[in-house]
Every structure is written in C-alpha cells, then in structure tokens.
Amino acid sequence: MSTFRRARYGRIERMVDELLDADGIGDAPPVPVEAMIHRRGISLQKGDLEDVSGLLVRNGSSSIIGVNGSHPAVRQRFTIAHEFGHFLLHEGIVEHVDHGYRVNYRNDASSLARDVEEIEANFFAASLLMPKRMLDACGGVDAIDDDQQVKQLATRFNVSAHAMSLRLANVYRRFAPY
C-alpha cells in the first residue's frame, strides 16, 4: 500500500503569517524576503547557475540559498522564497537544486501530488511574497479579472504578473453556482 502525502496548505499559510508577524512586516508590500532569510542566518549567493533556478545547501549549522543571477529580479525573488520554503518545510533535505521550476504550482502534475515538496515550496513562495492580508489591504479581490490591476499589483509586490494572476485566482477563487 502506497503512502499518499498531501500538501499542507493551511499549515503553510499559518507559517507565513507567523513569519510576517515575527519580522514585524505589516500590510504594505513588497515583502523583504532577502532580509527575512538573512535574519535566520541563511546566506544568499547569486551567480550563473546555467539551467538551475535555485538551490539550497545545508552544511551543519550553515545554510546557503543560491539563485541564478541571470534571471529577472522578480524570478529571483520567487526562487529565494521557494528555497526558503524548502529550508523551513523540508528539514530532511541536505541539498536541493531546482531546474527551471514553474510558478504555476497548480498544474496537472501538482494536483496528482507527484512531488509534494515542490508543490509546498511553490505555495510557500507565493504565500510569502503575496500574503492574503496584503492582497486584501491592496484590493486584490477587485483585481482578479482586470489585467491592468494585476500588473499594477505585481509591480507593487515585486513579482511577475503571471505569479500575481495565479495567486489572485488561488486566494479569491470564485465558484459559479450550478
């Protein structure tokens, strides 16, 4: 009998709220993800990683997040948050490398939970960079169907418009009555 493990969305949302509170981060974006990792003793290295988006390396009590410096700044922020998610959620990982993962964490493969750790790290990154409480404070619910507002929010949160669009759909999903 195989073990089925589900992503811990509720736990991740609570963890993000606790992190934001612990760091005194209010409702004004963008979230200072680099400062957050530095406060936890994690080093950040940017460089040419070829086809690798990011990596997390733990060596005893020291940890390093590496990010591909040739990627756009918004992608680097997501990668840093993604690897931070691995750091906090997946303690057993000694070394983790991501090869070009995508921001759209709710795809067919993720719904099958083939790689729950990647699903969780992507959800953590989206939740950290675009917390629901900040989206609420910025009128995120009104932006869900307006491409111009999505772009404005993405700029304000320092994320890609694609990531913002996905997060808004996830947070403010509207169900049509049958």
Side-chain angles (χ1 to χ4, degrees):
M1 179 177 242
S2 65
T3 303
F4 179 73
R5 186 170 154 227
R6 299 176 79 161
R8 302 166 290 175
Y9 298 116
R11 176 176 180 236
I12 292 167
E13 290 280 4
R14 287 187 301 277
M15 178 185 286
V16 164
D17 284 340
E18 290 169 6
L19 286 168
L20 295 172
D21 290 343
D23 285 24
I25 298 168
D27 292 338
V31 171
V33 67
E34 288 189 30
M36 292 178 78
I37 67 164
H38 289 301
R39 278 193 284 278
R40 284 153 184 87
I42 304 169
S43 298
L44 178 64
Q45 303 263 329
K46 295 182 181 184
D48 180 10
L49 301 178
E50 296 180 11
D51 68 334
V52 175
S53 297
L55 55 90
L56 169 65
V57 179
R58 298 177 198 232
N59 187 7
S61 62
S62 69
S63 296
I64 299 168
I65 289 176
V67 65
N68 194 325
S70 67
H71 288 175
V74 293
R75 171 99 185 237
Q76 289 181 42
R77 277 178 47 81
F78 196 91
T79 298
I80 293 165
H82 176 96
E83 299 303 338
F84 187 31
H86 280 302
F87 176 82
L88 295 171
L89 295 165
H90 309 128
E91 296 177 19
I93 296 174
V94 175
E95 180 177 321
H96 181 82
V97 178
D98 279 313
H99 294 271
Y101 67 87
R102 293 180 302 205
V103 177
N104 57 334
Y105 53 88
R106 296 270 186 171
N107 60 19
D108 291 340
S110 66
S111 68
L112 296 173
R114 290 190 176 140
D115 195 341
V116 173
E117 289 183 354
E118 289 303 305
I119 296 165
E120 288 182 339
N122 279 336
F123 185 77
F124 175 89
S127 299
L128 181 66
L129 296 177
M130 298 164 279
K132 183 180 184 314
R133 68 188 193 192
M134 285 186 190
L135 291 171
D136 289 345
C138 294
V141 70
D142 298 324
I144 193 166
D145 295 322
D146 185 325
D147 289 343
Q148 190 59 35
Q149 285 185 339
V150 168
K151 289 177 187 173
Q152 290 170 351
L153 280 176
T155 299
R156 192 167 179 190
F157 281 76
N158 200 10
V159 298
S160 71
H162 181 69
M164 180 58 71
S165 179
L166 290 170
R167 180 66 175 155
L168 291 172
N170 185 274
V171 170
Y172 302 114
R173 184 175 294 125
R174 295 180 183 157
F175 295 98
Y178 292 100

